[in-house]
Every structure is written in structure tokens, then in C-alpha cells.
Amino acid sequence: MKTELLIIGAGAAGIAAATAAWDAGCRDIVLADRRERPGGILPQCLHEGFGHAQYGRELTGPEYAQQIAQKLNQTGVRLVLGTEVLAVYGNKSAVLSDRSGLTQLHFERLILASGCREKSIGSLPVVGTRPAGIFTAGQAQEMINLHGQDLGKEILILGSGDLGFIMARQFAQSGKHVIALVEKEAHYGGMARNYHRCVEPYKIPILYHTTVAEIHGSGRITGVTLRHLDGGGEEEIPCDTLITALGLLPERDLVRGLGEPEWLFFAGNCHRVHDLVDSAVSEAERIGRAAAE
Amino acid sequence: MQSFDVVVIGGGLLGCFAARNLSRWDLHIALIEAREDVCTGISRANTAIVYPGYDHRPGTLKAKMTVRANGSFDSLCRELDVPFCRCGSLMVSYGEQADAVLRKKYENGLSMGVSELRLLRGEEAVKMEPCLAPGVTSALYAPTAGTVNPWELGIAACENAVANGIALCLNTRVFAISHTTDSYRIETNRDVFSARAVINCAGLYADRVQELVFPTSVHIVPDGADYLVLDKAAANLPTHIIQYEPEDGGKGFNAVPTVEGSLLLGPSERDNETDFAVSEKGISFVYGRAGRILPGLDLNEVIRSFAAVRPNPRREDGSSIGSFVIENPAPGFWSLIGIKTPGLTCANELGSYVAERAAEQLAAERNESFDPCRKGIKKVRGIPLERRNAAIQADPNFGEVICCCEDVTKAEVLDAIRRGATTLDGVKRRTGTGMGRCQGSRCQQKLITLLAQELGISEEEVTKDGKGSEILGGGRDEN
């Protein structure tokens, strides 16, 4: 199979890049995603706060996804969902896998819009056991908002980025006890806007200069040892759930080792991590147009 | 009451191989395991090396078994359909003291018939493995060393044993054993077993299990060790097993390229920390050693740290025992106590050793229908694309990737559950789900759904590794 432009990842950036490339005259575009629906992580972001720059009002994640999907639907972009891209080769081809089989797809240009993955607790030198009840913030968001799961009652959040803030609010709103956000730096990592919306109103403490030194519990997590890095010693805090919001890493594994060929473009969070979806979208639109030329 | 000819207590690597080798005989055999799955204790965490055998005193059972086991490891892994990589090992030294240790090991190895062993100059070693820190003075190269996934091997042996007719009894914890003239009575939380012979492979608890019925002069003093796992995509990974022999005679260190492609670093030095909890001192030791021996490694690519526990056998006076301890306190009762390195290498040999003794004791006939071969879960990662496509045509579930880091499909997960995985860790040990760089954050929900569907339980009942480790609802630990 052949296509002029392959875009991997049908999240906000991939959709925006595809729509912009179509509008710029490219008439042969394949947009692939492993999920069963377009929008990437937007559908799990039930909170408001998206689209101020693009739409002049605040949308929820699903509303935002709907807006951009509508634009996409007016194009002739071929959207292939439930499809895993297994490999990308230097001869400008990719292997796609779905339930009907493998497809070798030859392309002229490729936009990688594969977003990021979350840093996991495994990458930190945290001591102790490895029990159940530890989730990344994005994973928790997906499990709660898309699968209706109840993760726990006594929640500790490691990290104070935006995703940590959003999840702190969500847990607080659903009647869970958010014990604290734990931050090793002297200042929170997320945007001030999110701090004022998500943390302040719920009086959730942020413990600065503090980190999780040890995890306790043999089956399910029962608590952690917090270490106060400014010389304040250690304390044990019971909890039944630990949420890690340790930051995002651009997901570029598919093109690792391919160098920087002129046919390869990056859009959205796999290019660089954006604070706002609007900025990921406007960047992706620019890249979509460039790739269409 | 259930009656068997032989009951094997403990479903770790050794128990699984004891059961497999017992099934070569026409005997009625049970393998009983306290946990929800096999290979959840010592076997779930170790250095994953198949040793060449130059380390042990010539003439000892351990030395003979290791050399023999190494020689037959390819055929064992072919029979059990388990990946084995004979990548070779380089034991490196950085000074005269350690050079002398290597020379001694080399001569020792030659006298035991370890094949292809070579003593290399530092430059030769660095040429083979450019990622080594400069200043290598000599290296002992053992091309016959290899790596295998320990739990994959144990699970394979267990499946083979079950296919040959043994009864596997999980969630079955022994609390009493009594002995009459010609039989043993084993009381468990589920049932009472009677057996004409007992093979005690209870791992960390093997001394205590023997003491339920006989005294033992050997006691297990466990010690812990810590490991790091480096992502398979990290740069400057060695292709051989690197073993560092310190100049001060202290604890060695290994960097092991696993069959999955990741790099295992460890073990650590530790003081009397005995559980499966990673220790601070241990983990910083591993970081330090790894950075020093393989300075090109990017330790930001670490994806996991974990702890292992090793069962050190000690005499009454506290002195440690270097050899394998196989006790036979009464006719029909054998205990493997404190089997540590190279227990993985020798698991099949040890299983065969006790099986033959039990068979002799019971005057058993050969099991004519014994089949040594087991077929593993069909995996599609890395296979040629035509074959992968054919697999999807035969079963569309091979087209659906569940774990995107390790490229594990739904068909593999379903097969693992049908073969007996009941937990997230059970699926992980059989398929590799969650072992990659995102550590399961992207596939866990899908696995919870599949486990619940296939086992006919609710998602809330799905656990990480048995009761008390529920993933949802804050755990359901009844306190």
C-alpha cells in the first residue's frame, strides 16, 4: 500500500496536522492510531480548560476532541483506528498491525504525532517493595474517566505538575482524601492557573523539598516514607494509593535510529511537551502544512 | 485425603524441575505450592545467568552438575521451548590481585573440563566489549556462559510436568507433616495429602518444612540483593555477560544482557536485609558499580529496580555452606535446602538427581509415555513479518497489541491466562507485559479487563500477585 503522507497518532496534534495538510492540498493522507477512537488523551480529560486560544471559550477534553474531529471529518483523510504501527523503516515504509493482518505502507512523508509517555516510578531510585496501588497520573485518569474505576481512598501524589494537579482535584471532588502532593523542588511544577483551580480551593497541601524515599506494603501499598530534603528528616505516611506525576517523555521510539531524514516531521508532544493543547495544535497545523508541500 | 506416590513441596524452579523429572517415572505425583502461581519466590528474581562452571571446587557435586548442566542447556531449552542465549561471559579485573583470582578460576575451569575457556589480556577484552571502563588488566572469557529467563524456564518445566500427568495444587500451604513407617501425611490449608515420598523444595522455607517432621542441621539465613533493569533501547549495552572481579576481593558485580533485550545490573551488597524490598544502600551500590564498570551506560534509562532474596545455608555454628545441601533424613524424604547460585543453571540436574533417588526408593518403572517437549506461548515479537501476518490470519487476536512497549498481543495474553496465569504478574511472567519502559501504565487496564473476562471474576477481584494485592478499590485487605 502507498500513501503520500502518513501521520502516526490521532490525538490533537495528529488530527490538526492531518487537517492542515489536507487544507494545504495534500489529498492522500493516512492517520493511524492504536486506540479505537480519535482524540488521543483528550477523551479522558473530562475537566474544562481547553481551547481558549483556538475557540475563545473553555471546552472539556471530549468537547475539544469533537471540535477537531468535526474538521477532520470534512476532509478525505483516511483514519485507521485500532491499528498499531509496529515499525518505521528508513526506506519510507511502515508496518501496521490490526485484527485483519499486517500492512506494509509506503509513504512519501511521515509526521510522528505519538505524544509522550509518563515517566514511571521504576526509573527513580525509590526503595522498598513493589506493591499494587501505584499508578501514573495519566493512567489513573484513563482508568477513572474512561473505565469508571475506583482506585483508592487515601491518595498521595508524587510530583506537582499539571497532571498531578488535575488528578488531585478529581480525587478531591469525588470524595477521596488527597493527603498531599509531594514535590522535591521549592516550587510546584504545574501552571499557576492550574494551581489556583485545582489545589488551592481544596486545601491540598504541597510538601516542598520532599520526596518519596520508600514504599511500604506487601500486597497493596500501605504507605510511604517521605524524606524532607531540606534536613527535616523522614516520616511515614499511610496511604492506599500512590499517584506518580513525574513528568512526560516524548515518545519517539518508532523512529529511533533513523536519524533526521528530510521526510520525517514531529508534531505535538512527541516534538516537545506543550503546556496547552492549543499550542500543540497550532504547531501541528504548521507542520502539517509544511509536510503537505 | 488425596494419595500420591510423591509429593513435591514448593513450586519454584527446583520444585517444577523435580516434578518434571519425577514424571519420567510411572508415579502418581503432586506439586503443591503455597502461592497463587509457580515461580513467585526466589525464582522470580535472580541474576539469570547460566554459569559455565569454573567457580566451584573440582570434584564437588556443584562443580560436576554445573559443567554438565551448562553443556545440556541448549537441548533443555529446545525441549521446553524457552529462549536461551549463549552470549558468553567476560569476567574482568583491574589489577594484580584480581588477575590472580581470574588465573585461578581459569585453571580451575580447565581442570573441570569447562570448554573454550580463555584468559584474555585487557586490550583483547576491551576490543570485544568496548563499553568496558578503561584499565582492564585481564579477562576470563567463557563462551559457554549464557542467559535465560528464570521464571520462564520454571513455568515451562511445570507445564511440561503437568502435561506428563502430575497434579499441580496451588494456594496450598503446608502446615504439618507426619511420618509413619511407609508413608508421609502432609496437612495443608486445603486438604490432607498422603505420599510414599516427599521432595522438599520449599525455597526460603525449606529448613522449616523439614523441621515439621525431621530435625535439620542446616538453616537458611536469607540475604537480599538489589538489581536495576536498563531499557533495551539504551545506548552502549554490552553483548556479553560482564562480571567484575574487584581488586579488594569484595563482592563481584554483573551486567547481564537478558533474553528480552534489557540489561540486568546487580546484585548489590547488603546487610541482613532479608525481604523483597529494595534497600537504599544496595541500590546506590548498584548505581555506583554500574557507572564505574560500564561508564557509557545512561543510568537515566533505568526502568525498574527490584530485590531478590537468596537462601544461604548455614550450619548450627553459623558457618556458611558452599556446596548444595541435599538432605535425606529418612527413607523417602529429600530436602533441597539453601540452593542458591548456580541453582538456576542446575535446576534440571537437581530435579533429576532427587527424582532418580525417589524412583529408586519406590522401585518405580519408567513412564513410557513421558514427553520431554513442551510448546511455549506463541509470541510474535520480532518474528518475520510474513509469519506474523499468517498468525493474525489464523487468529485475529495476534493483530491486537496489548503491551506496546514489549509488543505483546492479545492472543499471547489469552494463551497465558488459559495456561494458568490468574494475576497481572502471572501474565507478565508468561508474556512480558509491563516489563518495558512504561512499566505497565499503558496496558494494565486492558489486562485487568482480559483477566476478569477470562477468569469470570469482577475487575475489582483482579490482583497484582494474589489476594491482598487488588488493583482497584484501594485494595481489599480485610484487616
Side-chain angles (χ1 to χ4, degrees), chain B residues 81-331:
Chain B
D81 197 14
V82 169
F84 168 52
C85 179
R86 214 180 260 285
C87 53
S89 65
L90 275 173
M91 181 173 266
V92 296
S93 56
Y94 287 84
E96 283 176 15
Q97 307 280 341
D99 288 348
V101 174
L102 262 51
R103 214 171 305 122
K104 218 173 138 201
K105 286 180 189 284
Y106 172 68
E107 281 156 15
N108 198 38
L110 287 188
S111 76
M112 292 192 321
V114 176
S115 58
E116 300 170 67
L117 208 52
R118 279 165 59 200
L119 207 49
L120 306 180
R121 282 176 292 119
E123 313 88 75
E124 294 174 286
V126 174
K127 203 180 257 174
M128 281 173 70
E129 209 53 273
C131 58
L132 282 167
V136 180
T137 50
S138 68
L140 179 53
Y141 175 43
T144 57
T147 64
V148 71
N149 179 320
W151 60 73
E152 200 167 358
L153 187 67
I155 289 168
C158 181
E159 285 183 5
N160 185 232
V162 170
N164 283 302
I166 74 131
L168 174 64
C169 310
L170 298 170
N171 299 305
T172 306
R173 190 177 292 273
V174 174
F175 56 79
I177 305 175
S178 54
H179 180 210
T180 57
T181 40
D182 57 354
S183 83
Y184 293 89
R185 183 186 154 87
I186 302 155
E187 291 174 50
T188 75
N189 59 324
R190 293 172 86 91
D191 205 347
V192 176
F193 295 77
S194 84
R196 296 161 63 209
V198 174
I199 314 279
N200 165 20
C201 300
L204 290 171
Y205 313 100
D207 52 347
R208 277 171 273 172
V209 165
Q210 178 160 321
E211 282 176 335
L212 291 174
V213 55
F214 302 115
T216 172
S217 59
V218 180
H219 291 278
I220 291 172
V221 181
D223 76 343
D226 305 297
Y227 293 86
L228 293 174
V229 183
L230 209 65
D231 188 13
K232 59 177 179 241
N236 301 317
L237 298 182
T239 55
H240 300 84
I241 298 165
I242 305 296
Q243 297 180 289
Y244 166 64
E245 179 62 32
E247 185 63 7
D248 60 9
K251 188 158 177 53
F253 180 78
N254 304 296
V256 182
T258 68
V259 288
E260 291 84 18
S262 59
L263 184 70
L264 187 60
L265 297 162
S268 63
E269 197 165 49
R270 262 215 216 176
D271 316 315
N272 292 330
E273 296 268 347
T274 60
D275 56 7
F276 283 96
V278 175
S279 81
E280 178 142 36
K281 186 184 161 196
I283 213 67
S284 49
F285 173 90
V286 179
Y287 270 100
R289 273 279 151 92
R292 220 165 73 212
I293 314 303
L294 298 165
L297 292 182
D298 180 1
L299 296 177
N300 290 314
E301 300 267 19
V302 166
I303 54 174
R304 186 172 181 82
S305 52
F306 65 87
V309 180
R310 291 168 302 198
N312 295 302
R314 298 268 175 94
R315 294 186 192 86
E316 296 284 350
D317 62 6
S319 59
S320 65
I321 303 172
S323 57
F324 286 147
V325 178
I326 305 172
E327 294 220 323
N328 181 208

Side-chain angles (χ1 to χ4, degrees), chain A residues 99 130 149-151 220 251, chain B residues 397 400 442 459 471 473:
Chain A
R99 295 181 59 85
R130 301 291 178 254
Q149 306 289 26
D150 175 22
L151 301 186
R220 175 84 184 196
E251 180 71 274
Chain B
N397 288 328
E400 199 176 328
R442 292 185 284 194
E459 296 196 353
I471 313 295

Side-chain angles (χ1 to χ4, degrees), chain B residues 407-428:
Chain B
D407 195 9
V408 180
T409 64
K410 186 174 176 181
E412 294 154 63
V413 173
L414 292 175
D415 195 358
I417 298 170
R418 283 173 201 139
R419 287 170 187 243
T422 57
T423 62
L424 287 180
D425 280 1
V427 174
K428 174 180 177 172

Side-chain angles (χ1 to χ4, degrees), chain B residues 428-446:
Chain B
K428 174 180 177 172
R429 280 194 294 270
R430 286 166 177 82
T431 65
T433 49
M435 280 176 65
R437 56 186 76 98
C438 94
Q439 289 289 298
S441 66
R442 292 185 284 194
C443 63
Q444 203 176 72
Q445 174 60 51
K446 293 180 215 165

Side-chain angles (χ1 to χ4, degrees), chain A residues 34 36 82 84 86 89 95 97-104 114 116-136 139 142-143 147-153 213-215 218-222 227 234 240-241 251 253 256, chain B residues 231 233-235 275-281 283 287 299-306 385-386 388-389 392-393 396-401 404-405 407 410 437-442 444-446 448-449 459-460 464-465 467-475 477:
Chain A
R34 62 166 68 106
E36 292 296 339
E84 187 79 26
L86 298 179
Y89 302 109
V95 178
S97 174
D98 67 17
R99 295 181 59 85
S100 69
L102 297 187
T103 308
Q104 180 124 27
S114 46
C116 14
R117 64 170 186 271
E118 297 179 274
K119 217 172 161 186
S120 90
I121 195 159
S123 63
L124 299 183
V126 176
V127 308
T129 51
R130 301 291 178 254
I134 304 173
F135 307 89
T136 66
Q139 177 193 10
E142 184 189 351
M143 290 176 77
H147 300 276
Q149 306 289 26
D150 175 22
L151 301 186
K153 298 167 209 65
E214 184 168 356
I215 293 167
S218 55
R220 175 84 184 196
I221 187 169
T222 54
R227 178 171 301 156
E234 295 190 346
D240 62 31
T241 304
E251 180 71 274
D253 292 315
R256 215 193 263 243
Chain B
D231 188 13
D275 56 7
F276 283 96
V278 175
S279 81
E280 178 142 36
K281 186 184 161 196
I283 213 67
Y287 270 100
L299 296 177
N300 290 314
E301 300 267 19
V302 166
I303 54 174
R304 186 172 181 82
S305 52
F306 65 87
L385 296 175
E386 311 81 71
R388 184 161 176 159
N389 192 40
I392 302 172
Q393 301 312 319
N397 288 328
F398 279 115
E400 199 176 328
V401 175
C404 51
C405 296
D407 195 9
K410 186 174 176 181
R437 56 186 76 98
C438 94
Q439 289 289 298
S441 66
R442 292 185 284 194
Q444 203 176 72
Q445 174 60 51
K446 293 180 215 165
I448 290 170
T449 304
E459 296 196 353
E460 286 71 25
K464 178 179 179 286
D465 57 358
K467 220 167 163 42
S469 66
E470 284 75 13
I471 313 295
L472 303 171
D477 222 343

